[in-house]
Structure formats: C-alpha cells, structure tokens
Amino acid sequence: MTESSPGRGRALLAAAVTVVLWASAFVVIRTAGADFSPGALALGRLASGSVVLVALLLLTGIGLPPRSALRGIIVSGVLWFGIYMVALNWAEQYIDAGTAALLINTGPVMIALLGGLFLGEGFPKRLMAGIAVAFTGAAVVGLSSSEGAATVLGVVLCVVAAAAWAVAVLVQKPALAHASALQVTTGGCVVGTVACLPFTGQLIGEVATAPLSATLGLVYLGVFPTAVAFTTWAYALARMSAGQVGATTYAVPALVVVMSWLLLGEVPGTVASAGGALCLVGVAITRWRPRARRGPAVSPDRDLDADPV
C-alpha cells in the first residue's frame, strides 16, 4: 500500500528543506573552516545541534527512543554525525566546495545499492536512470567549479565521508520503524557529540581566538544544517525509500554553486549551470510517476492510481 498524496508531498518538502540546508553547509564550512580545525568545528556544530534537539525533545514530550532503535541510532551517530562531519570538514581544507559536493554525492549511489541489497528496495529502472543522470550532472558541476586539482587526501576524506553516510542510512532506516524522526536525529547528534569530545580542548582554544562571524557560522551549522536538516531528512527517509530520498541530494552541488555565487561572489560558468540542470533533471526522474492512460478497454475494477512497477 502506497502513501497518500498529502503524505508524499510532505516527505518531498522535508527532503527539499534538507537539500537546501545541507548545500548551505558546504559554503559555511569553507568560511568557518578558516578559523576552526576539522574536529573542533564538528564538535561545536554537534554540540549546538544537540542543545536544540534535546530542547525540542523535552518540549514535545516525546521521550527517549525505545531500546529497539538504539543500535541504529548509536551506529548512525558515530558514522554520520561523527566520522562524516570530521572527514568533510577536513576535506574542505584541501578541495573546493564544488569538488567536495561531487565526491560526497557518491553517497546516494552507495545508499541506493545498499538499500537494494539489504533493505529489499530493489533496483527500479527509473531510480537507477535518475541516479545516472544526476551523478553526471554532479560530476560536471564539481569539475567545472574546481579551482585546482584536488589533493589525494581531500579525495580520500570525501570518499570516507560518503561511505560513512551510506552505511549510516542503511542502519538508520530500520531504527525509524521503532522511533520518531526527532528521536533518531536527537540520539544520533548526541552520540556524535560524545564521539567528538576528544576535540574539546581545540574547540575551547579556537573559540577564544576566532572572529564572531566564524563562531556564528559554527552555531548556524549546528542549528540548521544539523538540527533542522537531519530531522527533516529522517522524516523523509521514514516515508520514502532510501534510494529515492538519497537521490534528491544530487541537487546539492547545483545549489552549492548558486550559494557560492550569492554569498561568496563566485559566478558559476556555463558548464556548471548545465551540470546543475542535469542534477535537477536526475532528481525529477527518480520522482516521476507516469499517469495511467484511460481507455475503453480498461476494466472498471482496475486501480488507475496504483503505482507502476
């Protein structure tokens, strides 16, 4: 049984919020990363996000997640909120935001493949076609926006981050069957904060010397791309397949280019714009549902609104 149209619409809106906020994170990491080391930036971001998420959890009265969801929350918290964020922050010290967005977006490919292998989501032709188109667009955007050759370390760190993200999604989705999106996100963020506590000394020292703008950027990363975006991601993931919701993030590289242009004065070129358009086309392909054709030979008992196989 498929989800109702209003429910599907809310899931898509949640995914769209996630994509926009995660795209903004690439830009803010570039600016804040000039004053904060990778581990300190991750800890400050996660601590800020945890404060907001725990407050929301208390205000809503939802309570702690059930024991059945703890394994998925802990594993995804260490991998996604911990390893992913430190690796991405570190990578963006060596490569530009466009190239980082390209490499990170190998994650949805891993998510779709792992979802098909281990979550029984299969490999729908439309999903795989959309992934191919969107990945091509992401490659065009990333390569066109790169100001120089990415160092080997930066590339390796992005691939590590993408792999951590993909495996985290694999274990996070079953946890969402037992706990709410807010519970899973809060738990993961708190676990990630604990995992990054070894960077406490660095964070304290760097906050003391960093300009206010960099500190505000750190807090922004915690509140919006973390607390808000990870919650909307979990909401969408609970209502869409892992492959579908993962594929929507292929719009991120295009948005990174636009945001860099608006906020940092980096004007995207023609090739980058074309790549961004391909990203959006690929996402559209994964979400496209052909209308059933009516005809005199159709049986009145046939469900014309049933999803195509």
Side-chain angles (χ1 to χ4, degrees), residues 8 33-34 43 46 62 66 105 111 115-116 118 121 172-174 182 184-185 207 242 244 275 289 303:
R8 187 182 301 116
L43 176 59
L46 290 168
I62 295 177
N105 270 279
I111 291 172
F118 298 105
E121 295 180 352
Q172 186 187 56
K173 187 169 177 61
L182 182 58
V184 171
T185 304
V207 166
Q244 287 175 328
R289 295 175 180 271
D303 181 8

Side-chain angles (χ1 to χ4, degrees), residues 176-270:
L176 289 165
H178 304 281
S180 69
L182 182 58
Q183 287 175 319
V184 171
T185 304
T186 303
C189 195
V190 170
V191 169
T193 302
V194 173
C196 290
L197 284 179
F199 302 109
T200 301
Q202 291 181 7
L203 177 61
I204 293 174
E206 291 169 8
V207 166
T209 59
L212 179 60
S213 59
T215 302
L216 290 177
L218 180 151
V219 174
Y220 169 84
L221 287 171
V223 175
F224 294 100
T226 304
V228 175
F230 275 79
T231 301
T232 51
W233 163 275
Y235 178 90
L237 182 62
R239 292 158 177 80
M240 299 164 62
S241 74
Q244 287 175 328
V245 71
T248 62
T249 63
Y250 277 117
V252 169
L255 292 176
V256 170
V257 171
V258 173
M259 290 179 180
S260 297
W261 171 41
L262 294 175
L263 300 176
L264 304 178
E266 299 175 355
V267 181
T270 303

Side-chain angles (χ1 to χ4, degrees), residues 19 24 26 29 44 83 89 124 171 175 178 180 185 194 228 236 256 258 275 280 288 306:
V19 166
S24 72
F26 281 90
I29 288 172
I83 293 175
N89 294 344
V171 299
H178 304 281
S180 69
T185 304
V194 173
V228 175
V256 170
V258 173
L280 298 178
W288 177 66

Side-chain angles (χ1 to χ4, degrees), residues 259-305:
M259 290 179 180
S260 297
W261 171 41
L262 294 175
L263 300 176
L264 304 178
E266 299 175 355
V267 181
T270 303
V271 176
S273 300
L278 276 177
C279 290
L280 298 178
V281 169
V283 173
I285 290 174
T286 66
R287 301 304 306 149
W288 177 66
R289 295 175 180 271
R291 293 183 178 180
R293 290 176 292 181
R294 296 178 180 272
V298 175
S299 169
D301 294 329
R302 183 179 177 183
D303 181 8
L304 293 176
D305 294 326

Side-chain angles (χ1 to χ4, degrees), residues 5-90:
S5 295
R8 187 182 301 116
R10 287 191 292 269
L12 287 173
L13 178 60
V17 170
T18 297
V19 166
V20 172
L21 292 179
W22 281 355
S24 72
F26 281 90
V27 177
V28 178
I29 288 172
R30 286 291 306 279
T31 57
D35 298 286
F36 289 99
S37 58
L41 183 58
L43 176 59
R45 173 180 179 175
L46 290 168
S48 302
S50 293
V51 169
V52 174
L53 288 166
V54 170
L56 287 175
L57 201 64
L58 294 174
L59 289 173
T60 56
I62 295 177
L64 297 175
R67 185 182 299 271
S68 55
L70 289 182
R71 183 175 66 176
I73 289 174
I74 292 172
V75 174
S76 64
V78 172
L79 289 175
W80 200 354
F81 289 84
I83 293 175
Y84 171 91
M85 290 192 182
V86 174
L88 176 59
N89 294 344
W90 195 359

